[in-house]
Amino acid sequence: MRDKTKMKTRFLALALAGALAGCIAPEGVTDQDLATFDAAVASIGCDLVDSSDYLPVELQTGLPREKVIEVAQYRVTQKNAVNLSNGGIRLVSGACTPEAAPAVEQVAQAG
């Protein structure tokens, strides 16, 4: 019985650690780095997909590719970005916030 309790406690601790990991910025990344990342991604059209996207973001942020990838995934966990079907990400916050589509009723009234 005691072993089951220990296993449940460990499982819950690991689950909690995993959940909290998405809430904490990657190690060594500051709030300023996150803001610079967002501005850099916005400057290339809000999508981060391949080397032609990563290179200018690396240059603008001063972060190595591995850290840019970590920040991109962090932004996805924070719902500030979404995964794209081509393996990249699209920033959807700040300057990259998508415009809301007009309501169907408004379009019908205008036409």
Side-chain angles (χ1 to χ4, degrees), residues 26 29 54 58 63-73:
V29 175
Y54 279 93
E58 291 169 31
L63 298 172
R65 172 102 24 129
E66 298 78 24
K67 206 52 94 169
V68 169
I69 292 169
E70 286 180 39
V71 172
Q73 289 309 307

Side-chain angles (χ1 to χ4, degrees), residues 48-66:
L48 190 57
V49 179
D50 54 32
S51 288
S52 65
D53 300 324
Y54 279 93
L55 187 57
V57 172
E58 291 169 31
L59 291 172
Q60 290 180 56
T61 62
L63 298 172
R65 172 102 24 129
E66 298 78 24

Side-chain angles (χ1 to χ4, degrees), residues 1 7 9-10 12 14 22-23 36-37 44-45 58-59 63 65 83 97 100 103 105 111:
M1 188 71 138
M7 286 181 66
T9 302
R10 286 183 185 157
L12 289 173
L14 288 173
C23 298
T36 303
F37 171 88
I44 60 162
E58 291 169 31
L59 291 172
L63 298 172
R65 172 102 24 129
N83 287 312
T97 302
E105 289 179 25

